[in-house]
């Protein structure tokens, strides 16, 4: 059995297993990103929105049953996922703004290039001189 071959088959040079993409050390998130949450006395899985709502409901239930300590723990977890949702919304807005700026810059370059091509065409093919045909002038006789 070739041990070296087995190691290289499952080995990645960057240390990642390929299951998660990373950009500058940050995991790109979107609103469908699924989280595994290990909260107090409960393990929950879902999107940030779902986890926020679940912990909020658990906090309300704990408050109603008189367990203020558990309620505070659940509300802290809800706040954590609320902050994650805000961060994702802010990142999405920034990304959308950057896309709009790139599109505007691309359109400006296209207009400038079209104008430049139009000027080059005029320089290469000058328009023929158009002279107005005039009627023959009457001759003046001296008399």
């Amino acid at each position: 059995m070739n041990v070296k071959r087995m190691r290289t088959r499952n080995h990645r040079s960057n240390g990642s297993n390929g299951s998660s993409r990373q950009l500058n050390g940050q995991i790109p998130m979107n609103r469908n990103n699924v989280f595994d949450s290990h909260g107090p006395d409960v393990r929950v899985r879902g999107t940030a929105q779902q986890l926020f709502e679940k912990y909020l409901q658990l906090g309300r239930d704990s408050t109603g049953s008189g367990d203020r300590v558990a309620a505070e723990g659940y509300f802290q977890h809800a706040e954590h996922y609320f902050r994650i949702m805000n961060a994702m919304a802010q990142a999405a807005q920034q990304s959308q703004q950057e896309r709009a700026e790139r599109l505007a810059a691309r359109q400006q370059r296209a207009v400038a290039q079209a104008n430049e091509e139009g000027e080059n065409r005029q320089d290469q093919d000058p328009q023929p001189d158009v002279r107005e045909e005039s009627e023959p002038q009457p001759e003046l006789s001296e008399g």
Side-chain angles (χ1 to χ4, degrees):
M1 181 187 280
N2 190 351
V3 176
K4 191 172 189 177
R5 181 175 174 211
M6 286 178 62
R7 229 191 301 155
T8 58
R9 181 174 44 187
N10 295 325
H11 178 70
R12 298 226 182 242
S13 62
N14 64 1
S16 143
N17 65 3
S19 64
S20 65
R21 297 183 316 181
Q22 294 188 355
L23 303 173
N24 298 331
Q26 296 179 347
I27 298 172
M29 290 195 291
N30 61 34
R31 64 188 192 121
N32 297 323
N33 206 23
V34 177
F35 296 92
D36 282 327
S37 177
H38 303 281
D41 304 330
V42 67
R43 184 173 172 194
V44 186
R45 180 178 171 90
T47 64
Q49 178 71 36
Q50 291 169 336
L51 292 174
F52 168 71
E53 292 170 0
K54 181 67 173 178
Y55 282 122
L56 205 55
Q57 187 59 46
L58 288 169
R60 289 179 187 141
D61 291 346
S62 295
T63 300
S65 67
D67 191 353
R68 292 185 298 163
V69 174
E72 183 64 26
Y74 290 129
F75 287 139
Q76 286 179 0
H77 278 76
E79 180 185 11
H80 170 71
Y81 287 103
F82 181 75
R83 290 174 186 256
I84 288 175
M85 289 183 331
N86 282 342
M88 286 189 293
Q90 186 178 14
Q93 183 180 14
Q94 183 178 0
S95 174
Q96 184 179 10
Q97 184 177 5
E98 289 171 357
R99 275 194 304 272
E101 289 172 358
R102 283 194 307 266
L103 178 63
R106 193 177 309 134
Q107 289 174 342
Q108 286 177 348
R109 283 193 305 269
V111 167
Q113 185 178 5
N115 288 342
E116 185 177 303
E117 288 175 1
E119 290 173 2
N120 288 343
R121 252 187 265 129
Q122 286 179 356
D123 291 345
Q124 291 173 358
D125 298 328
Q127 296 292 327
D129 288 340
V130 178
R131 294 185 183 158
E132 292 183 24
E133 296 288 329
S134 59
E135 294 181 22
Q137 296 293 320
E139 290 185 25
L140 296 175
S141 60
E142 291 183 23

